[in-house]
Amino acid sequence: MAGRPGSAARRWLKLAMAAAVAAAFLVAAQLVSPSLPGAAGMVYEQNCSQDIDASALFYTEVTDVHEFSVTGGGRYAIDVRPGLKLGAGGE
Amino acid sequence: MVDGNVIEEKKSRWTELYLKEDWWSIWFAAILILVVAVGWITKVPKVGKWTDNPLTAFPADLFLPLALLVVGLGVMTAVGVAFMKLDVKRYLAGYVVVMVLAIVSYFLANQATMKAWGIGYAIWALAIGLVIANTVGTPEWILKGARSEMFIKTGLVLLGAEILFNRILKLGGPGLMVAWIVTPTVIIFMWHFGTRFMKMTNKPLVIIIAAATSVCGVSAAIATSAACRSKKDDLTLAVGMTMIFTVLMMVLMPPFAKLIGLSPAVAGAWLGGTIDSTGAVVAAGAFLGEKAEQVAAVVKMIQNVLIGLVAFAVAVFWVTRVDRDADPDHKPTLMEVWYRFPKFILGFVAASIVFSFVLMPLFGETAVDDILNKTKVFRSWLFCMAFVAIGLESNFKQLASQLVGGKPIIVYIVGQSFNILLTLFVAWLAFGGVLFEAF
């Protein structure tokens, strides 16, 4: 076992405490986030309202250059729209 | 696995094609792409999003596809495990636990507030694994299924398919300038700063932090760690730091861009070139409006393409320079370089080339997108399992020992600061009307 020393009961108690902390973190974040002041609150509101998934491993969702949707259930893609004038290669 | 390294180091023979994990990662990815391409798999299941009611994450019609996913991936990888002459029964027993923990990680990451803050499955998977390993301990039989390297390498080959070169051409010069000038500059700066100025002896950790900072966070960290045969603790540390700073930058940079009066295009390019995670880039860009959001996402996308090139360059640099420096009297032959080169990177590059220059022209964009939309989900599951496995194999004490003196954090902060300033300057040149027409 790649674990820590100590009695089995104590180790399981630690695991239960970690699970409780995770649950408390989820509940606290859910309760506190909507009332956060300043930029943090605004970013949170915006991410929620547009269903933006800020997951750190989400990058490959951006490989589609023909659609752009921040409301598509967290799926991102890019539409290089004519109005954007993205330089010589842009559409 | 050797001494907790991400890549094994042995001599090559033809039998390696069916005996070695590197090659099996290529075969696994090829199988997944094939079954999707021929239409045998029409949908890959994902855990649902939920806000207050956890049950909404698991609608009734999700259970069968999820069970099939667990069984399917298990059978496929077990075949490889059998060829590699490992204990299949014990692998499968451990694999099921890892997969269940991966589902739990997705469940937690898909809570609406967690999604909004970018606390994604990678951090949950690592945390769950770490907590188990450092409280009750990870039983040996679970460790047999926690084959993090196998999951990572297979996921990376699938990732290669998603890097489509022809799409880069559509994105224009300014974006290329911001993404492709700053990225290598920052990597080289951080490498020299970490190894020479800070005198960090853990060179893999330096290059992983540099790649994560300059390219795209977690994905780049994973690819680079495999390319340089780092220890798993190095990857855990780099991912942890990246994710914490990503959230901070996502919140702090947009208001700052507004405060200093950057135009939407310059601000978007700045955010896209600096914030590590693409999701966070889109979120931060959206704060400044539609144009900033689009420019930010485009710049990030161009930058993301560099993952493969960076991983390839790091692998070559490692076998030809870093390993040689460790034994200055020995100059490796070309064959030795080949022996030690992480072969799965060939799969990564091959997948990218095949999808960009063969499948795209043959079948068209819609068909290729359809395949990739499914392989992406497989790839995410594999990365998630990899992070669970890494956590299960990690030890808090070992992790803490990496932070002695705070050198990795200093390298990250100094490198990221340099990245932020340089990107701001280049974004102004490219998108501010100096070198190109103003946006």
Side-chain angles (χ1 to χ4, degrees), chain B residues 145-267:
Chain B
R147 297 195 64 82
S148 50
E149 302 92 342
M150 192 172 79
F151 303 141
I152 282 179
K153 291 170 193 168
T154 308
L156 282 171
V157 178
L158 289 176
L159 187 62
E162 297 164 34
I163 309 295
L164 300 170
F165 285 96
N166 53 334
R167 287 181 173 168
I168 305 166
L169 303 175
K170 297 180 180 178
L171 299 172
L176 284 170
M177 184 176 163
V178 172
W180 287 20
I181 287 180
V182 175
T183 301
T185 309
V186 172
I187 291 181
I188 293 166
F189 169 80
M190 288 182 75
W191 170 256
H192 287 293
F193 180 77
T195 56
R196 295 189 181 174
F197 189 79
M198 295 300 294
K199 299 194 186 317
M200 278 180 70
T201 51
N202 188 348
K203 290 181 177 179
L205 180 57
V206 176
I207 200 72
I208 296 170
I209 294 173
T213 307
S214 58
V215 190
C216 60
V218 176
S219 300
I222 294 172
T224 315
S225 75
C228 70
R229 308 187 298 277
S230 81
K231 291 189 187 308
K232 289 168 191 167
D233 290 343
D234 299 338
L235 179 59
T236 305
L237 202 62
V239 167
M241 281 195 298
T242 298
M243 296 190 81
I244 291 166
F245 281 95
T246 295
V247 173
L248 289 176
M249 288 168 74
M250 179 181 78
V251 172
L252 298 177
M253 285 182 71
F256 185 73
K258 227 174 201 175
L259 191 73
I260 60 174
L262 294 181
S263 73
V266 173

Side-chain angles (χ1 to χ4, degrees), chain A residues 51-54 58 61-63 67 69-70 74-78, chain B residues 279 282:
Chain A
D51 198 16
I52 285 179
D53 184 338
F58 224 75
E61 305 298 341
V62 189
T63 51
E67 300 167 36
S69 169
V70 290
R75 183 172 179 278
Y76 300 113
I78 292 175
Chain B
V282 175

